[in-house]
Amino acid sequence: GVGDPGGVVGTPRAPEPGAAAAAVAARVASAVAAGVRDERDAWCAADAEASAAIAAGLAAHAGPTEPAVARAVLAAAPTGGTVVVGASMPVRDVEWYGLPRDDVQVVSNRGANGIDGVVSTAVGVALAGAPTVALMGDITFLHDQNGLIGLGRRAVDLVVVVVDNDGGGIFS
């Protein structure tokens, strides 16, 4: 079938989402009540090991890379601020290479082409009052640069970081 091109699934099942979530929650609650932390500890150790490997890999490059810029932008965002991330590679780079932060909100939007309105979105977020950092590629910036018109007359806490990446390369 379509979902099983190799024909190895005997009886395909589509669980009801509520029942599946309740079953997972029950297993987690049972493990927590029993004091089981081995899985969590193993995942935390694996995460720390992966993070160290990523940091070493990024540090090995002589110049800046898109993943390193994404990691640095997220790390430098002010506490309580918002990071607006452009589509295509920047949003993936923040997800894959950025260190987790619970004191910063990360948002992204999708337009008709994935790059529509990212500058304007960042301006709108900043005008709502939170210090805002926007990370996007060069074509995304050029596509909506007119979103910056008139900002000189307004008090806005916005930093726009543009990665000069020759138009990206997600489909290259």
Side-chain angles (χ1 to χ4, degrees):
V2 175
D4 183 23
V8 296
V9 175
T11 306
R13 294 192 174 131
E16 191 278 316
V24 170
R27 289 183 67 190
V28 170
S30 175
V32 169
V36 175
R37 295 183 54 88
D38 293 344
E39 276 191 53
R40 180 185 179 281
D41 291 344
W43 278 106
C44 287
D47 182 63
E49 187 175 329
S51 185
I54 289 169
L58 293 176
H61 290 275
T65 62
E66 288 181 63
V69 169
R71 189 176 182 112
V73 165
L74 185 58
T79 298
T82 301
V83 178
V84 178
V85 187
S88 196
M89 290 312 297
V91 73
R92 288 170 174 83
D93 290 336
V94 166
E95 178 187 10
W96 296 339
Y97 302 102
L99 294 172
R101 292 192 58 188
D102 59 6
D103 61 341
V104 171
Q105 181 179 26
V106 178
V107 298
S108 185
N109 66 346
R110 293 289 296 184
N113 296 313
I115 61 174
D116 296 333
V118 176
V119 173
S120 295
T121 297
V123 169
V125 169
L127 287 172
T132 303
V133 180
L135 172 65
M136 64 195 73
D138 49 8
I139 298 297
T140 298
F141 176 75
L142 290 172
H143 193 72
D144 191 33
Q145 64 186 326
N146 60 333
L148 298 174
I149 294 174
L151 282 185
R153 296 184 307 269
R154 301 187 81 168
V156 61
D157 191 353
L158 172 63
V159 174
V160 178
V161 179
V162 179
V163 177
D164 182 6
N165 60 1
D166 293 322
I170 191 168
F171 301 111
S172 298

